[in-house]
Amino acid sequence: MLRAVVAVTLLGVPSVAQPADPPAITVNERVRHQEIDGFGISQAFRRNELLKALSPAQQREVLDLWFDRDKGAGLSILRLGIGSSPAGSPYDHMVSIQPEDPGGPDAPPKYVWDGDDNSQVWVAKEAKAYGVKRFFADAWSAPGYMKDNGDDKNGGTLKPEWQRAYADYLMAYTKFYAEEGIKITDLGFTNEPDWTTTYASMRFTPEQAAQFVKVLGPVAKGVQVVCCDSFGWNQAKAYTAAIEADPQARRWVKTHTGHTYASPVDAPLPTGRKTWMSEWNPSGSTWNENWDDGSGYDGFTIAQAVHDALTLGNVSAYVYWLGGSRGETRALLQLDETAKTYHVSKRLWALAAYSRFIRPGAVRLDASAASPALKVSAFRNADGSRVIEALNTGTTPVTWDGVRGRATAYVTDNANSLTPSPVTGRTLTLPPRALTTIVLR
């Protein structure tokens, strides 16, 4: 147990208990919360083509920034987009493994596989080489011929008679990846089922999602079913509740997911299963590399969002959208295929402060702070190392006189990006408007 304790004894004076100031940070290892599955990104919708436009040396640098535990974020989850047909933008579609109607839901399927999947296979293989073991494949829509609007775009719903064929289609995708040496560990059949878009989208009500789970679950051998990636965290609660209310559906769904565009993480989803914040980036109008500028899409904003998801929502994973993209993106990196270069934002380092050190299998410990300006979370990794994340939202430094053991502090702020500093003694100063990651071994 990590606690700073102050004891005062006055000899020859009647003993009067004097309340000691509470320690800046208190961690109670006896109280444990959720297990961590990891932190990740998606590169769906052909964003990998932007990466391929860079030189081999730059490609390696970008991959290091995503997946290397010494040079970058050490991400441990890669989210893949299961194909859909073209939309308006050259970077708004993926290739379907069954683009044409085979002749009806009971006809033999006519799958096609190019071994590339818009370069998602390449990035997945690279991620695996870095040690990534969690590959989450998610479908934005069924092929258009399986839906009542005849289009994979603009919403529409899955026709009842195509449910089993769609389940088989999803499993065929996982088998193609297995042939490439990538095991899909987590499978989602819907993305934002409560939101209609002009690109690939498909509607499910909570009850419809629970019904389809009972079709997919029995055929999803060797993969964990994920549901339902609602476009807001509060909106996701209805999907989770519908699945939990159905004993058969509850049996099959291993992970409940939600996005945070419509509403942020403010409480756990109503389930005892694991939950993931599976997609989000903040809205904004420019490319921004800053740490703390009040824009709402700087690195500090991301650090707060990750903290809230872990501590308020008890999420086991945090998956950011996107790892890299072009133009006025809020991705972690800007990939410029025209200038043949890339740029790094502080959003990357905000996520890296968590992902590099809090590894899959870690457990969140109970943690609190004396100052409301200090947002604290704590974790114990499977190797016994402990990680304390201290986000000082105030404008003055905070001193913690409670460090015990061999510790290193990594600071991320305007001037630093995980800059390491050994901690000597028991006292550590937490800079203002900064995220300090304390690793105790």
Side-chain angles (χ1 to χ4, degrees):
M1 187 183 303
L2 299 173
R3 291 186 185 274
V5 179
V6 178
V8 177
T9 303
L10 301 178
L11 300 179
V13 178
S15 177
V16 177
Q18 297 293 329
D21 291 335
I25 298 173
T26 300
V27 178
N28 188 346
E29 291 200 39
R30 294 180 181 176
V31 180
R32 302 192 172 194
H33 301 286
Q34 76 271 27
E35 182 184 17
I36 301 300
D37 289 332
F39 300 82
I41 55 168
S42 178
Q43 279 297 100
F45 288 92
R46 298 178 62 186
R47 263 60 177 196
N48 293 319
E49 294 180 15
L50 301 172
L51 179 58
K52 280 212 162 181
L54 304 182
S55 70
Q58 290 173 321
Q59 292 173 14
R60 181 56 55 202
E61 290 166 4
V62 168
L63 291 166
D64 282 346
L65 285 167
W66 287 340
F67 302 116
D68 192 274
R69 290 186 62 188
D70 295 317
K71 300 176 183 178
L75 297 169
S76 51
I77 297 174
L78 181 63
R79 183 174 179 233
L80 305 164
I82 301 176
S84 61
S85 62
S89 164
Y91 292 102
D92 275 352
H93 77 275
M94 299 168 282
V95 176
S96 174
I97 61 168
Q98 189 173 243
E100 302 296 333
D101 185 343
D106 298 320
K110 299 177 181 178
Y111 299 127
V112 293
W113 178 245
D114 63 5
D116 180 65
D117 198 26
N118 295 130
S119 297
Q120 289 190 109
V121 171
W122 167 58
V123 172
K125 288 181 176 179
E126 290 288 348
K128 180 182 177 181
Y130 282 91
V132 174
K133 298 179 181 178
R134 211 73 188 252
F135 295 94
F136 170 29
D138 204 4
W140 270 245
S141 174
Y145 55 82
M146 295 186 183
K147 297 165 60 183
D148 59 5
N149 68 344
D151 188 353
D152 72 335
K153 304 179 291 296
N154 301 306
T157 60
L158 184 67
K159 297 176 186 176
E161 65 269 23
W162 280 92
Q163 288 188 36
R164 177 56 191 266
Y166 181 47
D168 291 340
Y169 165 92
L170 296 171
M171 288 307 299
Y173 183 87
T174 70
K175 292 174 183 176
F176 284 127
Y177 264 80
E179 292 173 2
E180 305 297 335
I182 301 297
K183 176 178 173 53
I184 300 299
T185 54
D186 305 88
L187 178 65
F189 62 90
T190 179
N191 174 78
E192 298 181 353
D194 42 358
W195 185 253
T196 299
T197 66
T198 56
Y199 51 87
S201 54
M202 179 169 62
R203 303 294 294 241
F204 283 91
T205 66
E207 292 71 26
Q208 288 170 334
Q211 168 58 34
F212 182 73
V213 161
K214 293 183 284 188
V215 177
L216 176 61
V219 301
K221 306 296 185 182
V223 64
Q224 297 195 97
V225 175
V226 172
C227 192
C228 293
D229 285 274
S230 170
F231 81 130
W233 193 255
N234 284 329
Q235 290 75 8
K237 294 172 183 176
Y239 289 87
T240 298
I243 290 168
E244 288 293 309
D246 186 321
Q248 287 300 313
R250 184 172 66 246
R251 172 186 177 187
W252 299 113
V253 176
K254 304 303 182 183
T255 305
H256 293 260
T257 54
H259 301 173
T260 51
Y261 298 109
S263 55
V265 178
D266 59 359
L269 295 181
T271 177
R273 300 279 194 178
K274 286 185 175 179
T275 62
W276 290 10
M277 199 306 292
S278 52
E279 183 187 315
W280 179 72
N281 70 26
S283 60
S285 57
T286 61
W287 167 250
N288 185 309
E289 299 180 15
N290 298 331
W291 168 252
D292 181 23
D293 61 7
S295 64
Y297 44 101
D298 51 13
F300 197 86
T301 297
I302 304 308
Q304 291 190 93
V306 176
H307 169 84
D308 288 349
L310 291 167
T311 60
L312 300 181
N314 291 341
V315 305
S316 291
Y318 195 98
V319 183
Y320 193 82
W321 180 266
L322 296 146
S325 192
R326 70 202 287 204
E328 298 173 348
T329 179
R330 271 81 59 207
L332 303 178
L333 305 180
Q334 185 190 61
L335 306 176
D336 190 334
E337 78 273 36
T338 302
K340 306 296 182 183
T341 189
Y342 66 90
H343 303 279
V344 184
S345 74
K346 285 285 188 175
R347 291 182 293 274
L348 171 79
W349 298 113
L351 183 59
Y354 292 89
S355 59
R356 182 191 288 188
F357 305 103
I358 306 166
R359 303 307 300 167
V363 176
R364 185 169 73 86
L365 308 174
D366 200 61
S368 60
S371 169
L374 199 61
K375 295 180 178 290
V376 176
S377 57
F379 306 83
R380 185 181 183 91
N381 284 312
D383 65 3
S385 64
R386 291 157 293 167
V387 180
I388 299 172
E389 302 284 358
L391 181 65
N392 186 353
T393 66
T395 56
T396 58
V398 173
T399 299
W400 179 35
D401 183 22
V403 181
R404 293 183 179 178
R406 185 164 54 93
T408 302
Y410 299 82
V411 176
T412 303
D413 58 13
N414 284 320
N416 298 281
S417 298
L418 289 183
T419 301
S421 176
V423 180
T424 57
R426 291 183 44 168
T427 302
L428 175 64
T429 299
L430 308 171
R433 306 297 293 177
L435 176 58
T436 303
T437 304
I438 307 151
V439 181
L440 299 103
R441 304 187 184 281

